[in-house]
Amino acid sequence: MTEHVPATAGAEADARRRQRREGNTLLAAMLTNGPNELIDFVLPLWAGAAIGLSATEVGVLLAVEMVLSMVFRPVSGVLADTFERRYVAAAGAALYGVSAAGYALAQSAPVAYTAAAVGGVGGALLWVSVRAIISERLAEDSAVFPRLLSSQETGAWVAFIAGLTLIGLIDYAGAFLACAAACAAAAVLLLVSPSRPGRPRADTDKGAAEGAAAAGLGAVGRRLRPMLLAVVLTMTAESAVSLLLLLHLQRGFDLEIGEIAYVFLPGAIVMSLAAERLHTYVVRFGRSRVLMAASLSSAGFAVGLAWAPNPFVIAGLWILSGLAWAAVIPIGQAVIAEASGEQAGRGMGVYESARLLGALTGSLAAGVLYDSADWTAACLVAAVPLLAGAVVVPRAVRRLGVADVPAPAPEAPGRPEKPQASAAADGASGAESRAETDTRTAATKRTPRRKENQREEKRKQKTPRQIRRELGLHAALFAVAQLVLLVAGLSWMKDLLTGDFGELLLSGGREQDSSVTGLLYGAGRLWTFILIADVLWQGGRLLVLALRRPSPESPSRPSGD
């Protein structure tokens, strides 16, 4: 019995190292995705205003980063499978930071093009390696990719609010330097992460090299081909719809950059909050059904966009698209990781290239549609491939041969396994024992895996105390921010309580003298609605948990509760 103690202790230490490795990677993803999304959003405006690039030159600038990132994705996958992934990811984060600093210092087109090229290579190294690292715990916890998406989207909307609020004070150069600092912090986090447990350090490079010979990029690409084709189709449609919406908000409704960002913001917040919650439906209903529902939701968004009367309705409709992506992206990454096995880096590399190819194709198609077709017709045309995705994407997942319902997390190390048929056979004859074994085996096969997954998800759900604590923290941060705005004379809450309630609620409040004060005033208003939504959501969860709680008189209630 004593011989098993060191093995158990070692397994528990490995589990802790894997969790710490995942936690550092998620935080690094948050720190880098925020700057990435913010730079992509403001780059065209900066390029025209700061260094005077023409529209064609701005298009070339964006294309340089996207094309290099797409080309280097498969190469990054090979590197992630050959070397320690945290080093590859840290190099990518560092190059991201260099790219952002390059934009801050750029005074001419060649410097800007160089910064874009460095950013494209850095993004390829970073995101392929990050997803490969996250895939390492997929067998233990099927919710790792929803957590990754949640971290990325949280970083994105926080960066949008902070960046667009402060850009009037620190200018574009200051915003780019702040992005560079965040990327540098992410690189440090990745470097200090634990190495990958479970593989001997000395044999890592040798084993990876043998794996490279056994399964090259071509073999991985052929194995993943059904999913890659589906990804190109759906990304083309989604990118076309996103760019069509951006053009429509700018040219059809004459919105400024900050106003456009606030239209997209609710969808980004919903993605960060809903990703893990939607995973429980994946566990309950299976990947195919959720993918089908998500495709229908995206198609419904595109159709609704054709007749949306104003930006407020569009912001509400954009939430449908955010919910769809919060379900689709983690599923796609998970099935690619499962189908790739030990070559997860290569799998993620070709998968990410397919996504970028779809994004590039969709951007080109959107421009043509917007210029040559009626707005309603353009939206309906973009909705067709999204509707087709309800059939194509689930079928592609099935053709990969992965499980439709994610596998439940295994028992913790050292936990005794539940007795099977052998326990019942101890006091029975040989014939009775075999019959008992056959009966239990058949019953086990008939038991749906989703019930086990549901029990596992219930164990992972937050307790009412944790929910109340989070809600209290959110309310405290809101109160501090509103107090600062009140002292500065920028409180929408004060105007709402002391002025015409109905008019202020609908109009958004008073006009400000400058863009900075206007953004701060609007941010306080937006945060109020976010807190209200948070209270309603968390309050509903608390109510559901209270209704599900067994009564004290229930004889089945465990005494430890």
Side-chain angles (χ1 to χ4, degrees):
M1 214 159 158
T2 51
E3 311 145 351
H4 298 290
V5 174
T8 302
E12 290 177 350
D14 276 355
R16 286 194 295 271
R17 288 175 64 196
R18 284 193 294 270
Q19 289 175 349
R20 183 183 160 208
R21 179 178 169 93
E22 180 194 318
N24 282 12
T25 305
L26 292 175
L27 186 53
M30 184 186 300
L31 288 170
T32 48
N33 193 59
N36 174 42
E37 297 286 347
L38 181 63
I39 289 174
D40 285 348
F41 189 75
V42 303
L43 194 59
L45 302 172
W46 164 82
I51 57 177
L53 296 187
S54 66
T56 301
E57 289 172 325
V58 171
V60 173
L61 179 69
L62 299 178
V64 164
E65 180 177 1
M66 184 175 289
V67 170
L68 276 176
S69 190
M70 181 175 65
V71 170
F72 270 86
R73 239 66 170 189
V75 178
S76 302
V78 175
L79 294 175
D81 286 341
T82 306
F83 302 102
E84 170 57 58
R85 289 165 176 168
R86 61 194 171 110
Y87 294 149
V88 181
L95 288 177
Y96 246 168
V98 171
S99 173
Y103 289 134
L105 302 175
Q107 299 294 325
S108 62
V111 178
Y113 290 146
T114 303
V118 171
V121 176
L125 293 173
L126 174 69
W127 295 117
V128 170
S129 301
V130 161
R131 290 180 174 94
I133 292 172
I134 293 300
S135 72
E136 293 167 3
R137 290 194 65 246
L138 183 60
E140 303 172 33
D141 184 356
S142 60
V144 289
F145 282 111
R147 276 200 296 276
L148 174 61
L149 180 65
S150 178
S151 297
Q152 289 179 270
E153 292 304 316
T154 299
W157 67 260
V158 169
F160 262 76
I161 292 178
L164 295 178
T165 300
L166 297 175
I167 203 166
L169 296 174
I170 60 178
D171 203 9
Y172 289 111
F176 288 141
L177 289 175
C179 291
C183 293
V188 172
L189 266 175
L190 290 164
L191 287 174
V192 301
S193 294
S195 58
R196 183 179 178 183
R199 282 166 45 169
R201 209 185 242 302
D203 295 334
T204 299
D205 291 346
K206 179 182 176 183
E210 292 173 353
L217 277 173
V220 173
R222 285 190 295 273
R223 188 161 65 237
L224 302 177
R225 185 179 299 163
M227 191 64 185
L228 299 181
L229 294 175
V231 165
V232 171
L233 172 69
T234 55
M235 275 302 299
T236 298
E238 290 285 358
S239 298
V241 170
S242 298
L243 186 53
L244 283 171
L245 174 57
L246 188 63
L247 293 171
H248 191 54
L249 290 172
Q250 184 184 50
R251 303 180 184 186
F253 292 104
D254 297 321
L255 298 187
E256 300 294 334
I257 177 175
E259 296 169 321
I260 293 174
Y262 286 136
V263 172
F264 284 96
L265 191 59
I269 295 174
V270 165
M271 285 181 70
S272 67
L273 296 176
E276 291 188 68
R277 177 62 183 168
L278 288 173
H279 180 68
T280 63
Y281 292 99
V282 177
V283 169
R284 184 179 303 172
F285 299 110
R287 288 165 170 161
S288 296
R289 292 182 180 178
V290 173
L291 287 171
M292 188 179 300
S295 297
L296 293 175
S297 176
S298 291
F301 162 72
V303 172
L305 195 61
W307 292 284
N310 55 59
F312 294 102
V313 175
I314 292 175
L317 287 172
W318 183 249
I319 293 175
L320 283 177
S321 184
L323 287 171
W325 277 113
V328 168
I329 292 176
I331 293 176
Q333 293 170 352
V335 298
I336 291 294
E338 289 179 16
S340 303
E342 285 299 313
Q343 284 77 41
R346 288 171 173 79
M348 289 297 171
V350 294
Y351 167 77
E352 290 290 319
S353 287
R355 283 177 55 83
L356 288 174
L357 177 60
L360 186 59
T361 306
S363 298
L364 295 174
V368 174
L369 277 174
Y370 193 82
D371 288 335
S372 61
D374 175 72
W375 168 249
T376 302
C379 292
L380 295 179
V381 168
V384 172
L386 293 173
L387 193 59
V391 176
V392 174
V393 179
R395 181 175 296 179
V397 171
R398 287 194 294 270
R399 289 185 62 186
L400 285 182
V402 298
D404 185 54
V405 178
E411 298 290 343
R415 186 181 295 176
E417 295 184 357
K418 295 180 180 180
Q420 300 297 322
S422 57
D426 287 342
S429 65
E432 292 170 338
S433 175
R434 285 191 297 273
E436 179 77 10
T437 301
D438 293 342
T439 302
R440 290 183 177 233
T441 302
T444 301
K445 289 180 179 178
R446 288 194 302 267
T447 301
R449 183 188 295 173
R450 66 184 56 172
K451 290 185 178 179
E452 299 176 10
N453 293 345
Q454 290 174 17
R455 289 194 293 269
E456 182 64 29
E457 291 299 326
K458 286 180 180 178
R459 286 196 293 270
K460 294 178 184 177
Q461 286 180 356
K462 293 178 181 178
T463 64
R465 182 178 180 182
Q466 290 173 322
I467 294 174
R468 288 193 295 268
R469 185 182 301 167
E470 286 185 4
L471 192 57
L473 177 61
H474 296 170
L477 290 173
F478 174 80
V480 171
Q482 290 297 326
L483 182 61
V484 172
L485 291 174
L486 179 63
V487 173
L490 300 173
S491 174
W492 178 77
M493 287 288 294
K494 177 188 174 184
D495 291 348
L496 185 68
L497 297 174
T498 58
D500 188 332
F501 184 89
E503 182 182 348
L504 280 164
L505 192 63
L506 295 175
S507 67
R510 64 178 187 266
E511 294 293 331
Q512 298 296 317
D513 297 333
S514 70
S515 60
V516 177
T517 56
L519 282 173
L520 289 173
Y521 185 83
R525 175 177 177 268
L526 178 64
W527 198 348
T528 304
F529 290 114
I530 293 173
L531 182 69
I532 292 172
D534 191 23
V535 169
L536 293 174
W537 174 261
Q538 302 286 24
R541 292 177 65 188
L542 288 172
L543 180 61
V544 170
L545 290 174
L547 293 174
R548 287 179 179 175
R549 184 181 302 169
S551 61
E553 293 82 9
S554 174
S556 61
R557 182 176 180 180
S559 58
D561 290 348

